[in-house]
Amino acid sequence: MAAAGLRAMVGVKRVIDYAVKVRVKPDKTGVVTDGVKHSMNPFCEIAVEEAVRLKEKKLVSEVVAVSCGPQQCQETIRTALAMGADRGLHVEVPAKDYESLSPFQVSKILAALAKKEGIGLLLLGKQAIDDDCNQTGQMTAAFLDWPQGTFASQVTLDGDWLKVEREVDGGLETVRLKLPAVVTADLRLNEPRYATLPNIMKAKKKKIEVVKPSDLGVELTSRVKIVSVEDPPQRKAGVKVETVEDLVAKLKEIGRI
Amino acid sequence: MFPKLLKAQRLARRAVSLLHRFQSTLVIAEHTNEAVSPITLNAITAAKRLGGDVSCLVAGTNCEKVAQELSKVQGVVKVLVSQHDAYKGFLPEELTPLILAAQKQFNYTHICAGASAFGKNLLPRVAAKLDVAPVSDIIEIKSPDTFVRTIYAGNALCTVKCDEKIKVFSVRGTSFEAASISGGSATVEKVPAASPAGQSEWIEQKLTKSDRPELTSAKVVVSGGRGLKSGENFKLLYELADKLHAAVGASRAAVDAGFVPNDMQVGQTGKIVAPELYIAVGISGAIQHLAGMKDSKTIVAINKDPEAPIFQVADYGLVADLFKVVPELTAALKK
C-alpha cells in the first residue's frame, strides 16, 4: 500500500467528562448520565491528533472520524472534524441498545467500516475512561486479522511498515507492524490541539454520514450482562498529624514501619 | 420433611461441585524467559477460585526454567510449553494462534492472564478470535460466570454475568494473593508452535533499571507529584524509599513534567497498586490518581495544601512543606 494513499480512520467515544465525579444510580443499574457534562474520551483526542499530524505530514490522504452511539455522538464527531478530520461516520445506536453496547460489538462495527472504507490505519484510544475496558483496538485488529500496536507513545510510518514505540510495564518497547494496522494511543503520544473557532465553524460544513449497525451486518446482542453497579467501599476518614515524629509514631503503632 | 430438605441440599451441592469439576482454566503465563512474572501467580489464585483444573501456558524463546518454576506452583495441574523464536517479544499476533490451538485441543471453559500491559494487549485479541466478549481487570470472582470489576476510574463496582461459552478475562493482580511457588507437581507437556504470522516484529525494549522493588508488588510505595517541582528533587523520595525498602511511584503530573519515566505512573491509566503503606508526597489526589492507589491498606499524605483531595482518603495527613518534612522523615527512620 502506497503511503500517499493511506487512509486513516479514528474511533472517538463520547464519555462523561474526566473531571466529573460520577454518581451511581439508586437502582444500581448504572451511573447517572443525564444532565452530566460529556466530552470526547481523552485517549480518543490523542488518536485524532495523531491522525491529523500524519495528514499534515502528507503521510495520510484522508482522516475519517467514527463514533458509535446515540444522536449526541455527532457532537463528538464534530469535535474531531474541528481538530482536522475530513469527514465523519456516525454509527447510530439507539439509547436503549447503547446501554449494553460493549467493545465486542464496537470492534465488529469498526472492522466492517475499515473494510468498507478501504482504511489502511485505524487509530483508537487505548481505553475509554468510563468502562475502562482497554479492549476495542485489540479486538478490532483481531476481527480484521491486522497487527496491533497498543499503548503507543510514538508512531513512525516507514513505507508499508509502521514503527510503534509502546508503553509497557517495565519501560518502553518498539515493534514494527505491516500495514494495514491498528494503533491505540497512550497519554504520551502527543498533546492534542484545541479546535479554534474558525475550525469549529468549518467543521459544521464537513459531512457526517449516518449508518446503522444492521447496514454493516453487525448484531448488537450481548452475552455479557451488567448485574449491578454499586458504590465502592468508602474509606474511613483519617486524622491529621502535626509533626513528623507524630507520623512515625502512628505508623509504628499500627505496624506499618 | 427435614431429611428430605437436607437431601435436596446435598444434591444441589453435589451438582455445584460437579459443575466446578467441569471447569478448566488456562492461565497464560507472563514471564521474561528467565522467570515467571509475579502477576501470573495472582492470576493462578484467581483461576483456582473457579474450582476446576488449572493449566498454564508458557510461550517464549526460552521456556524451560519458567516451565519448571510453574510446575511447582500450588494448584497448577498441567504446564503447556511452546518454545519458538517467533515468540520473541511475546507479540500478540504470534501468541494468539498458539492459544487458539491449545483451546481447540483442551476445550477450556476459562482463559485468563494478569491485567498487565502483556495481558491487556493479548487477551482481547484472543477473545475476538474466539468470538466472545472478554472481561477486563476483574477484582472478584462470585461464581464461574459472574465477576466484579471497577469502572469510571474505580468510582463504581460493576458486577457482570458472562454467558459466553468461553470466559476470557484479565485479573487485577492486587486483588488476589499470589499462589505459593512450592508444593505443586504439575505435568509439563510440550505443544507445537503455531506457524509464524509474520505481520509484526519486535525490535527492542528500553527498560527502566532500578534496584528498588517492583512497583505493583511492593509492600511500601512512596509517590511524588507536581509538588516535587523537578526530577532532581525526586532524590528526596528515593532516599526515603530506600529507608523503607519501598518502590517509588508518581502522579501523571510528575510524569508529564518529565520528572520521572512513565512506567512509574500510578493511576487509572498507569499502574494499580495496593501496598500496605502508600505515601503520597506533593500529590493533590485527582480522581485518576486515586484509581490507582485507593485500595492501599494505609495511606499517608504529605501536602502543604490542606484542601487537597488526597486528605479525604489519607489515614494520616501531614499538612506541611515536603521539602522540610521528607528529609525529616528519612532522618527519623535512620534511628
Side-chain angles (χ1 to χ4, degrees):
Chain A
M1 190 176 305
L6 190 66
R7 272 185 165 167
M9 188 162 85
V10 195
V12 291
K13 186 177 184 182
R14 177 179 177 267
V15 298
I16 292 182
D17 189 85
Y18 75 95
V20 171
K21 176 104 177 69
V22 295
R23 279 186 303 129
V24 171
K25 286 186 197 165
D27 66 359
K28 297 183 178 177
T29 55
V31 305
V32 178
T33 54
D34 287 344
V36 174
K37 186 185 176 196
H38 282 67
S39 334
M40 188 191 291
N41 179 45
F43 291 98
C44 302
E45 281 185 354
I46 298 169
V48 173
E49 175 67 32
E50 196 64 20
V52 172
R53 285 186 191 187
L54 287 170
K55 196 188 169 199
E56 286 167 348
K57 287 183 203 153
K58 309 222 182 308
L59 297 167
V60 156
S61 60
E62 190 187 30
V63 177
V64 186
V66 50
S67 190
C68 307
Q71 181 65 30
Q72 297 97 308
C73 288
Q74 292 204 5
E75 295 160 25
T76 312
I77 297 174
R78 270 310 153 206
T79 308
L81 297 177
M83 287 174 72
D86 296 292
R87 61 187 170 95
L89 282 169
H90 174 212
V91 183
E92 195 170 16
V93 179
K96 191 171 62 65
D97 291 330
Y98 187 60
E99 278 173 24
S100 61
L101 195 74
S102 73
F104 183 70
Q105 292 88 12
V106 174
S107 311
K108 288 193 169 177
I109 290 170
L110 293 177
L113 280 176
K115 272 191 217 156
K116 187 171 159 237
E117 299 282 336
I119 298 300
L121 175 62
L122 175 62
L123 286 149
L124 303 172
K126 80 160 176 180
Q127 77 190 67
I129 60 163
D130 51 0
D131 61 26
D132 281 336
C133 277
N134 195 331
Q135 299 172 346
T136 304
Q138 296 88 316
M139 295 184 86
T140 310
F143 287 130
L144 288 164
D145 235 326
W146 292 0
Q148 64 192 50
T150 53
F151 327 144
S153 58
Q154 199 178 53
V155 174
T156 322
L157 260 169
D158 177 16
D160 291 349
W161 290 77
L162 193 67
K163 207 162 97 176
V164 181
E165 188 182 70
R166 307 180 54 232
E167 292 195 11
V168 293
D169 289 336
L172 297 167
E173 73 172 25
T174 309
V175 294
R176 224 163 74 97
L177 312 174
K178 198 163 184 4
L179 289 172
V182 176
V183 168
T184 72
D186 215 318
L187 278 175
R188 251 68 60 176
L189 183 58
N190 60 47
E191 184 120 3
R193 71 194 64 189
Y194 287 104
T196 59
L197 191 59
N199 284 341
I200 293 170
M201 300 311 286
K202 257 189 256 167
K204 289 187 178 163
K205 296 204 181 74
K206 293 182 182 173
K207 236 185 90 187
I208 298 179
E209 187 190 339
V210 180
V211 289
K212 293 204 160 57
S214 55
D215 301 340
L216 303 163
V218 177
E219 274 270 354
L220 293 184
T221 47
S222 169
R223 290 181 296 262
V224 177
K225 295 194 175 57
I226 294 175
V227 179
S228 69
V229 174
E230 290 166 67
D231 280 311
Q234 293 300 309
R235 286 191 80 96
K236 259 199 343 254
V239 294
K240 292 255 167 76
V241 292
E242 294 301 322
T243 63
V244 168
E245 288 70 41
D246 270 1
L247 178 60
V248 171
K250 287 272 190 334
L251 291 175
K252 275 194 177 141
E253 209 173 288
I254 59 162
R256 288 283 178 247
I257 54 173
Chain B
M1 173 97 196
F2 244 53
K4 224 180 199 170
L5 195 71
L6 278 175
K7 197 176 166 199
Q9 271 181 352
R10 221 169 22 237
L11 276 175
R13 236 192 334 259
R14 200 175 303 161
V16 170
S17 75
L18 207 64
L19 203 69
H20 277 196
R21 218 171 302 153
F22 289 133
Q23 314 287 340
S24 59
T25 305
L26 181 67
V27 178
I28 315 297
E30 179 175 354
H31 65 98
T32 59
N33 284 313
E34 280 294 321
V36 177
S37 304
I39 198 168
T40 302
L41 301 174
N42 307 106
I44 290 171
T45 299
K48 288 198 283 190
R49 260 325 119 83
L50 294 163
D53 280 351
V54 177
S55 300
C56 278
L57 174 68
V58 184
T61 52
N62 190 3
C63 300
E64 206 167 308
K65 213 167 131 189
V66 177
Q68 282 309 317
E69 215 178 310
L70 276 171
S71 69
K72 297 190 188 85
V73 172
Q74 213 163 55
V76 178
V77 297
K78 199 194 288 184
V79 179
L80 303 176
V81 183
S82 192
Q83 186 167 313
H84 195 281
D85 286 344
Y87 302 141
K88 182 179 170 191
F90 310 103
L91 295 165
E93 295 81 6
E94 302 297 344
L95 294 181
T96 302
L98 173 69
I99 297 164
L100 297 180
Q103 172 60 27
K104 206 168 171 190
Q105 190 180 349
F106 298 105
N107 275 311
Y108 298 103
T109 54
H110 295 75
I111 300 177
C112 72
S116 57
F118 167 82
K120 287 173 182 171
N121 190 29
L122 176 62
L123 284 179
R125 190 173 179 104
V126 172
K129 285 290 179 194
L130 294 168
D131 202 28
V132 302
V135 183
S136 291
D137 209 1
I138 61 152
I139 60 167
E140 192 187 331
I141 295 172
K142 291 203 156 169
S143 74
D145 64 3
T146 307
F147 308 100
V148 183
R149 58 184 302 271
T150 66
I151 53 176
Y152 290 94
N155 286 299
L157 299 180
C158 183
T159 304
V160 295
K161 186 169 182 295
C162 175
D163 291 325
E164 299 287 6
K165 55 189 189 296
I166 307 158
K167 279 83 171 162
V168 178
F169 61 95
S170 62
V171 175
R172 181 170 297 182
T174 55
S175 298
F176 297 87
E177 296 284 312
S180 166
I181 51 166
S182 63
S185 56
T187 54
V188 178
E189 187 177 324
K190 282 206 172 121
V191 289
S195 51
Q199 296 177 302
S200 56
E201 209 179 292
W202 183 87
I203 298 178
E204 58 166 353
Q205 61 182 190
K206 283 177 253 170
L207 298 186
T208 309
K209 291 234 162 33
S210 164
D211 297 331
R212 291 191 187 82
E214 201 252 328
L215 188 53
T216 53
S217 52
K219 284 200 164 61
V220 181
V221 173
V222 177
S223 276
R226 200 196 309 269
L228 266 295
K229 292 201 174 88
S230 76
E232 229 159 69
N233 290 335
F234 253 77
K235 115 172 159 276
L236 294 175
L237 299 193
Y238 297 137
E239 284 164 5
L240 174 60
D242 289 343
K243 284 281 156 292
L244 294 161
H245 305 289
V248 178
S251 70
R252 182 186 166 188
V255 173
D256 282 353
F259 301 170
V260 290
N262 40 31
D263 54 289
M264 282 169 65
Q265 185 180 330
V266 171
Q268 180 185 19
T269 66
K271 297 207 168 71
I272 298 193
V273 302
E276 289 178 8
L277 176 61
Y278 187 88
I279 304 180
V281 181
I283 292 176
S284 65
I287 297 172
Q288 291 77 15
H289 185 74
L290 300 183
M293 47 63 81
K294 68 178 178 187
D295 289 329
S296 305
K297 295 218 174 67
T298 301
I299 298 173
V300 170
I302 298 173
N303 203 304
K304 65 180 174 192
D305 175 12
E307 303 298 320
I310 191 79
F311 287 120
Q312 288 162 23
V313 300
D315 300 285
Y316 301 106
L318 181 55
V319 181
D321 180 5
L322 71 93
F323 293 104
K324 182 173 164 281
V325 297
V326 171
E328 275 180 33
L329 187 54
T330 307
L333 292 168
K334 270 179 191 164
K335 287 174 203 160

